[in-house]
Amino acid sequence: METSMQAVKDASHLYEAERRAIHAERPGFRISEIQISPAQKVPWHYHSHVQDAFYVIAGELRLFLREPKEEVRLGPGDTYSVPPRRPHLVTNAGEGSATFLVLQGIGEYDYVPLV
């Protein structure tokens, strides 16, 4: 059985990405842009209070989710929302870089890694 690690407010040190940028941030809401290579991923985690809404700009993403188990593939222009407390893993499903926006809110952001 997987266990949760301690929640963090900044997860950038927990996984590598080709590029990260925050385009908007205010109390309870933020918009981040992330670019990952085919070898990179956002590891298993969940957020206690915020929803992740993904919007793919370029490339392809594959999301793996639990509770219930689900796999979602997204291409440019596709969106998908993950509710608070639902564990998810984000991978690059293509042969080139994948760039996507993550809208996070409404509520206090945290990142709870699963090990």
Side-chain angles (χ1 to χ4, degrees):
M1 179 173 169
E2 280 193 327
T3 58
S4 301
M5 294 176 60
Q6 186 161 352
V8 295
K9 296 293 181 192
D10 178 7
S12 61
H13 66 288
L14 296 177
Y15 63 92
E16 291 192 19
E18 290 182 327
R19 188 170 57 82
R20 287 184 178 90
I22 295 180
H23 291 296
E25 188 168 22
R26 57 172 290 189
F29 183 78
R30 73 179 182 177
I31 300 172
S32 302
E33 181 179 344
I34 301 173
Q35 179 177 324
I36 57 175
S37 76
Q40 295 173 324
K41 64 183 176 186
V42 181
W44 282 105
H45 69 284
Y46 68 85
H47 307 286
S48 299
H49 307 287
V50 298
Q51 169 177 278
D52 272 357
F54 293 91
Y55 179 88
V56 178
I57 297 171
E60 299 175 35
L61 288 185
R62 197 159 108 187
L63 282 68
F64 295 92
L65 304 109
R66 295 186 186 152
E67 301 170 21
K69 185 176 178 181
E70 183 179 6
E71 180 181 329
V72 177
R73 289 183 173 267
L74 303 172
D78 290 340
T79 63
Y80 188 83
S81 293
V82 179
R85 304 202 67 78
R86 186 168 186 199
H88 54 287
L89 165 77
V90 182
T91 64
N92 182 333
E95 296 181 16
S97 294
T99 304
F100 56 100
L101 297 176
V102 185
L103 288 70
Q104 295 169 314
I106 294 197
E108 184 179 349
Y109 172 83
D110 69 353
Y111 179 103
V112 183
L114 299 174
V115 291

